[in-house]
Amino acid sequence: MRVLGLETSCDETGVALYDSEQGLLADALFSQVDLHSVYGGVVPELASRDHVKRLLPLIRQVLDEACCEASGIDALAYTAGPGLVGALLVGASCAQALALAWNVPAVAVHHMEGHLLAPMLEEAPPTFPFVALLVSGGHTQLVKVEGIGRYELLGESIDDAAGEAFDKTAKLLGLGYPGGPEIARLAMTGTPGRFVLPRPMTDRPGLDFSFSGLKTSALNTWTRCRNAGDDGARTCSDIALAFQQAVVDTLTIKCRRALQQTGLTRLVIAGGVSANQALRDSLALMLAEMNGQVFYARSRFCTDNGAMIAYAGCQRLLAGQHNGPAIEVQARWPMERLEAI
């Protein structure tokens, strides 16, 4: 089965063609980072309009790269949530229109399920069951995964997601957008131990997260330094390192607890923050100590992309699932409500 996947949940337009027998045939992505960077964050209306502009050219590009005609497409998969409603409607409308024109089925895909299954696109994918750390700009969750659609939420952020905290902290420090890569870049030249920020909610039981207070601690540290006349590049790098290490340590501690609680030894990390090398190194060390394994997608499939949507959609289509012609999206969509296959 050949599935054309469309991803338009936020500020990246992703298109990919996945074949259930041959694997990923082609994929293309357009990032709106330059469009939104002047505002310090995503402007929903601008994101929607740019998806309209980019989607059809990207579809043509992917089909050309795969040497595939429209008649060779067996189904469409599209992100139906969670995400920005306007952006989601662009992808959903396009997918349903093409499905109608080509007389093929279409299936709505949960954005975070796409991230969770992205490591399945690698040569050595994880096997079920495993614990998944879904960590991005909009979500920070620990999930026990027994199979596709068989999810148990173990813990989540009660306020800012980790990626959101990276972006907000970067903005407070006067850095560019998106903030995660900027902080990671500065952290490489930071002085270890000069500043120590809290590891939120690690001194109590449970698997929930909180990053809002950590962001405030970074701001207070930066403010004290500025008031003392110490607001140079070196101090900014040192705070960036302290912030990144606090996030990494917090995520690592909670992942260890989740594995111990479930008795599992396989961990999947997915979402944009999973591309952070310090986080990967910390989790790899922790899993080595526990005689476990950690899995993640290649860097270009950590952020939003069409390949993960095409793959996730293909699995549900092969199980006989598809959606009717109605164009329906959900800004909020608990993953535990998904049908198991």
Side-chain angles (χ1 to χ4, degrees), residues 26-44:
D27 71 283
L29 182 72
F30 183 86
S31 174
Q32 301 175 8
V33 167
D34 292 340
L35 176 65
H36 300 286
S37 61
V38 294
Y39 303 100
V42 177
V43 181

Side-chain angles (χ1 to χ4, degrees), residues 16-291:
L17 185 61
Y18 180 82
D19 187 290
S20 57
E21 299 294 332
Q22 302 176 54
L24 186 64
L25 301 180
D27 71 283
L29 182 72
F30 183 86
S31 174
Q32 301 175 8
V33 167
D34 292 340
L35 176 65
H36 300 286
S37 61
V38 294
Y39 303 100
V42 177
V43 181
E45 177 64 21
L46 295 181
S48 302
R49 291 178 180 272
D50 204 63
H51 286 311
V52 173
K53 178 180 179 181
R54 307 293 177 182
L55 198 50
L56 289 180
L58 287 176
I59 291 173
R60 295 189 186 99
Q61 177 183 331
V62 165
L63 294 182
D64 287 344
E65 289 182 4
C67 299
C68 180
E69 300 291 336
S71 58
I73 304 299
D74 297 307
L76 275 293
Y78 61 94
T79 305
L84 303 175
V85 170
L88 291 167
L89 284 171
V90 175
S93 300
C94 182
Q96 290 288 13
L98 290 177
L100 179 63
W102 295 344
N103 193 30
V104 297
V107 65
V109 174
H110 191 289
H111 179 72
M112 295 311 295
E113 180 173 71
H115 276 304
L116 187 152
L117 296 177
M120 299 296 185
L121 293 164
E122 303 304 315
E123 291 185 2
T127 56
F128 301 112
F130 54 77
V131 169
L133 172 65
L134 304 179
V135 57
S136 64
H139 299 81
T140 300
Q141 298 177 325
L142 279 165
V143 181
K144 181 180 179 182
V145 182
E146 297 281 357
I148 298 177
R150 299 168 60 192
Y151 309 129
E152 177 188 350
L153 180 64
L154 302 174
E156 61 184 339
S157 179
I158 62 174
D159 43 52
D160 289 351
E164 183 182 7
F166 267 108
D167 288 341
K168 290 181 176 179
T169 300
K171 189 173 183 178
L172 294 172
L173 294 175
L175 305 177
Y177 174 83
E182 289 293 307
I183 287 182
R185 178 181 60 81
L186 283 181
M188 294 177 66
T189 60
T191 304
R194 181 184 173 190
F195 300 111
V196 179
L197 300 181
R199 276 60 173 162
M201 296 183 71
T202 58
D203 58 349
R204 67 186 76 174
L207 295 173
D208 286 335
F209 302 90
S210 173
F211 294 104
S212 180
L214 177 57
K215 172 193 63 184
T216 302
S217 294
L219 173 60
N220 291 340
T221 302
W222 179 237
T223 300
R224 287 196 301 271
C225 291
R226 292 183 64 182
N227 291 341
D230 182 15
D231 58 352
R234 169 60 63 185
T235 295
C236 189
S237 295
D238 294 346
I239 294 175
L241 174 60
F243 175 82
Q244 176 177 265
Q245 195 57 55
V247 173
V248 168
D249 287 351
T250 299
L251 293 173
T252 302
I253 290 169
K254 293 302 180 83
C255 285
R256 181 189 293 272
R257 286 184 188 175
L259 291 168
Q260 292 172 338
Q261 178 178 309
T262 59
L264 299 175
T265 58
R266 287 184 291 273
L267 176 71
V268 165
I269 54 172
V273 181
S274 69
N276 183 283
Q277 192 59 52
L279 177 60
R280 291 190 176 194
D281 291 344
S282 178
L283 291 175
L285 179 61
M286 182 263 288
L287 266 297
E289 294 172 354
M290 299 179 69
N291 294 316

